[in-house]
Amino acid sequence: MINAVHISKHFGSIKAVDDCSLHIRKGEVICIIGPSGSGKSTLIRCLHGLEIPDSGELYVNGKKIDFTRDTTKELSHIGFVFQLFNLFPHKTVLENLTLGPIKAGGVPEKDAVETARKLLARVGLTDKENAYPAQLSGGQKQRVAIARALCQSPEVILFDEPTSALDPEMIGEVLNVMKELADDGMTLAVVTHEMGFARKVATRVIFVDNGKIVEEGTPDQIFDNPQSDRLKLFLSQVIHM
């Protein structure tokens, strides 16, 4: 579904993404792990065109993305969930969910509202459709953000550290929604610090450090039999034995 070939992204002298190649197949749950500042978020943003790679190629459903022109149509079926929610504060929950489909997708308002309400029920927030973001907890905001991404009928959803801005007691409610999506067969790629989630839900784990993909494999391979010294050190620091 998504194939990145030798992509790089620099910010001045910093190589945020350095010659990375990866693919995401239909039905996979990819978890991207690594230390803070390793380039994980920049990498996943490049897969959505939120960051334009300086070099390399990106293919979506076999079609090469041409970043010299408008890529909205080609990337419209890739959902994105941000670390800090990115909800419109002056819009209700229901309005946040329906704005994109109505304005950008041309969906009739009645149909957009019907879909939004079904998705709010799916993430357990039926009673919050008329609330504003400021009236929600962090976990509720992120569940709204997930429902908003689903409103675009995506083929794959990319998550950029969706729980890192949440209080510890709210992390579980968001991870549970993501696990349900995975169980339903949704294709996901998740930048995460939640090693338990990666081990339990991922079909493949990718370890990134210094802008490079250092190692990838199944959760068992990555967590039980790491090959590189760098991954071994990282796991020893983040997993308390």
Side-chain angles (χ1 to χ4, degrees):
M1 300 182 72
I2 298 178
N3 188 25
V5 183
H6 298 299
I7 60 171
S8 295
K9 179 66 179 180
H10 299 172
F11 297 102
S13 61
I14 299 174
K15 295 181 179 180
V17 177
D18 189 6
D19 192 27
C20 289
S21 297
L22 65 88
H23 59 272
I24 302 172
R25 299 186 185 94
K26 183 177 177 63
E28 281 194 306
V29 179
I30 307 298
C31 281
I32 303 173
I33 65 172
S36 297
S38 62
K40 306 184 302 296
S41 291
T42 304
L43 175 59
I44 205 165
R45 288 172 68 87
C46 285
L47 301 183
H48 193 271
L50 294 170
E51 298 287 354
I52 307 301
D54 295 319
S55 61
E57 298 174 343
L58 179 67
Y59 297 85
V60 176
N61 290 328
K63 183 176 181 179
K64 183 179 178 180
I65 302 300
D66 181 1
F67 287 110
T68 65
R69 60 181 183 82
D70 185 7
T71 60
T72 302
K73 184 176 181 179
E74 289 95 333
L75 300 176
S76 62
H77 294 298
I78 302 177
F80 200 95
V81 176
F82 298 86
Q83 177 180 345
L84 295 176
F85 326 125
N86 283 28
L87 300 176
F88 293 110
H90 60 293
K91 300 286 187 181
T92 66
V93 165
L94 190 63
E95 290 169 338
N96 266 280
L97 267 62
T98 57
L99 184 63
I102 293 172
K103 296 294 185 181
V107 177
E109 181 176 357
K110 179 181 178 182
D111 294 341
V113 168
E114 181 180 353
T115 298
R117 284 176 170 155
K118 288 180 180 178
L119 292 170
L120 284 175
R122 185 174 184 179
V123 299
L125 292 173
T126 300
D127 59 335
K128 299 296 184 181
E129 70 171 58
N130 293 316
Y132 288 87
Q135 298 171 308
L136 304 177
S137 69
Q140 290 170 334
K141 290 176 186 176
Q142 198 59 291
R143 283 187 282 156
V144 170
I146 293 171
R148 180 180 60 182
L150 289 169
C151 278
Q152 301 288 354
S153 300
E155 296 175 5
V156 55
I157 303 181
L158 311 179
F159 293 81
D160 183 11
E161 300 192 33
T163 61
S164 63
L166 303 181
D167 291 334
E169 66 269 20
M170 298 176 184
I171 290 174
E173 64 189 57
V174 174
L175 293 180
N176 285 339
V177 170
M178 295 168 63
K179 184 179 183 304
E180 289 174 4
L181 292 176
D183 290 342
D184 289 342
M186 174 66 75
T187 307
L188 310 177
V190 186
V191 171
T192 184
H193 290 291
E194 300 296 330
M195 297 300 113
F197 175 83
R199 181 159 197 158
K200 184 176 182 180
V201 179
T203 55
R204 187 155 46 93
V205 180
I206 296 174
F207 173 63
V208 175
D209 187 46
N210 286 326
K212 291 183 176 291
I213 295 175
V214 178
E215 196 168 335
E216 65 178 291
T218 66
D220 286 347
Q221 289 170 331
I222 292 296
F223 292 107
D224 294 336
N225 191 29
Q227 299 300 299
S228 65
D229 290 340
R230 184 64 188 93
L231 177 54
K232 292 175 183 177
L233 176 61
F234 172 76
L235 292 176
S236 72
Q237 293 174 332
V238 299
I239 298 178
H240 303 289
M241 304 303 291

